[in-house]
Amino acid sequence: MRALMLTSAAAIFAVLPATNGLAQNPPLNLDWSGIYVGGHVGGTWGSTNVQIPAYPANFNISSSSFSGGGQIGANWQASDWLLLGVEGDISAMNLAGSHLSGGPLSERFGARYDLRYSARGRIGIVSDNTLFYATGGWVGTTLDRANFIPLAAGVRSDTLSGWTVGGGIEWAFDPNWIAGVEYMHDGFSRKSFVFNGPTSLNLHDDTVRLRLSYKFGGEAEAPPPPPPPPPPPPPPPPPPPAAVKTFIVFFDFDKSDLTDKAQEVVGEAVRTAKTNGFVKVLVTGHTDTVGSDTYNQALSIRRANSVKDEMVREGLDGNSIAIEGKSFHDPLVPTGPGVREPQNRRAVIDLGG
């Protein structure tokens, strides 16, 4: 038992300094529900009332002892503020004393108790990581010896039972570790023995103790995850394509070379393309209706090539200039076959086409 007491004391005094900063700790979002085990250490003060009718005598034996042991229990947090629980504990002690018996000269009567144990309910008020509670239930103690001194009529030992009430404060300084201070008052039923005559005794005691418990599954509730970042803004829409700008170059009958006027029109088209950043150019050659389709198809291609060559000469990239020929199938002025219509002998320059 001494080893149990020393172990409990060492564990509590090793951890209690960590509770000094409780006021500065942030809230733990703690759920007190769960099973716990732990140890306690403190002091017990007792008063044993002894009655010896044969003398007659009625006196109290005062005693005190260091006490320490362990506890196991379970809590249920019924709401944000209400806690209900059960707990059992056992403590070792050496609660011993004696008193003049009132009989023969210098005769004394002594009593010694070495174990205390209880089974109790608990009800408390929760304030985040602090618990204020009341407790009460059944208590028992082991009467190690009761005897007259000097020894007469032997030694008596037995188990006493009774009631206990008390209360305490606990602090959860970690989701799993709980420290506290507790007070208990015990009242035991009177016990009768027969020595040379009837003798009875009745014990009342008080205990103040520090306690340390480990609660299983006491992890704090995780804070909610941060909201996701807002989605990036959509990319700006692509710029609208440049509007197609058209220039028309006219040719002499059955010719594909550029006239002076035609060169001026091509030059203007090139300047416009450079200024406005046109990167695509389509040149389409056309003819009038004189001659065969095969001949006019070739002529329309030559006219488109003449315009392309002039545009390249004036600084445009030839890879960006496409050509096509349409013979007489897309006349500007509709006519019958064999008609020399000047407006149909043309090449159309589409910038951005």
Side-chain angles (χ1 to χ4, degrees):
M1 289 301 171
R2 179 174 296 178
L4 174 62
M5 294 160 60
L6 292 176
T7 301
S8 301
I12 290 180
F13 284 114
V15 175
L16 282 179
T19 66
N20 291 339
L22 284 175
Q24 288 76 36
N25 287 346
L28 295 177
N29 298 317
L30 181 70
D31 183 355
W32 286 79
S33 299
I35 297 173
Y36 60 88
V37 296
H40 55 260
V41 62
T44 299
W45 296 263
S47 177
T48 301
N49 177 255
V50 180
Q51 296 179 5
I52 309 173
Y55 284 175
N58 186 334
F59 55 86
N60 294 317
I61 301 173
S62 297
S63 53
S64 62
S65 172
F66 171 85
S67 59
Q71 69 270 357
I72 182 170
N75 290 327
W76 175 51
Q77 186 167 342
S79 69
D80 289 343
W81 61 271
L82 178 63
L83 179 137
L84 304 173
V86 293
E87 182 175 290
D89 69 281
I90 184 169
S91 302
M93 59 187 179
N94 182 27
L95 194 63
S98 64
H99 193 278
L100 290 172
S101 67
L105 184 65
S106 301
E107 182 187 62
R108 303 181 72 86
F109 186 87
R112 177 182 181 270
Y113 309 88
D114 63 358
L115 280 179
R116 177 198 176 277
Y117 29 87
S118 72
R120 297 170 282 108
R122 302 206 309 169
I123 183 170
I125 296 175
V126 172
S127 177
D128 189 53
N129 59 335
T130 304
L131 171 66
F132 304 89
Y133 67 91
T135 184
W138 174 87
V139 65
T141 187
T142 299
L143 175 62
D144 178 56
R145 60 186 297 140
N147 59 278
F148 287 91
I149 306 167
L151 189 62
V155 175
R156 304 294 185 265
S157 61
D158 209 332
T159 299
L160 282 65
S161 65
W163 52 265
T164 181
V165 293
I169 304 174
E170 289 187 327
W171 299 271
F173 57 92
D174 176 88
N176 296 100
W177 289 100
I178 303 171
V181 59
E182 184 174 56
Y183 165 75
M184 304 294 301
H185 176 74
D186 305 329
F188 295 91
S189 300
R190 181 171 291 276
K191 197 74 174 180
S192 296
F193 302 97
V194 176
F195 291 90
N196 291 329
T199 300
S200 67
L201 53 83
N202 170 242
L203 170 67
H204 284 258
D205 63 35
D206 298 276
T207 298
V208 176
R209 60 195 184 186
L210 303 174
R211 45 188 285 149
L212 176 67
S213 301
Y214 179 85
K215 183 169 76 71
F216 298 95
E219 292 77 10
E221 180 181 338
V244 175
K245 191 170 181 62
T246 300
F247 296 85
I248 300 178
V249 177
F250 293 101
F251 293 86
D252 291 335
F253 176 71
D254 198 24
K255 300 293 185 183
S256 60
D257 52 325
L258 300 178
T259 64
D260 292 342
K261 179 62 176 175
Q263 288 179 342
E264 291 178 7
V265 174
V266 173
E268 182 181 356
V270 170
R271 289 189 294 273
T272 301
K274 290 179 179 181
T275 301
N276 294 278
F278 290 106
V279 294
K280 291 177 62 178
V281 178
L282 174 63
V283 181
T284 305
H286 301 269
T287 67
D288 58 23
T289 58
V290 177
S292 67
D293 182 43
T294 301
Y295 180 85
N296 282 300
Q297 177 62 26
L299 178 59
S300 64
I301 293 294
R302 291 197 299 275
R303 286 173 175 170
N305 272 322
S306 295
V307 173
K308 176 180 178 179
D309 291 344
E310 180 63 18
M311 297 182 82
V312 170
R313 190 183 68 80
E314 295 198 17
L316 288 188
D317 181 7
N319 293 326
S320 66
I321 304 173
I323 65 166
E324 64 177 354
K326 291 194 174 182
S327 183
F328 47 64
H329 298 296
D330 188 15
L332 186 61
V333 179
T335 67
V339 177
R340 297 185 179 186
E341 172 54 52
Q343 293 191 68
N344 289 339
R345 302 192 296 265
R346 71 197 192 281
V348 178
I349 304 170
D350 291 322
L351 302 181

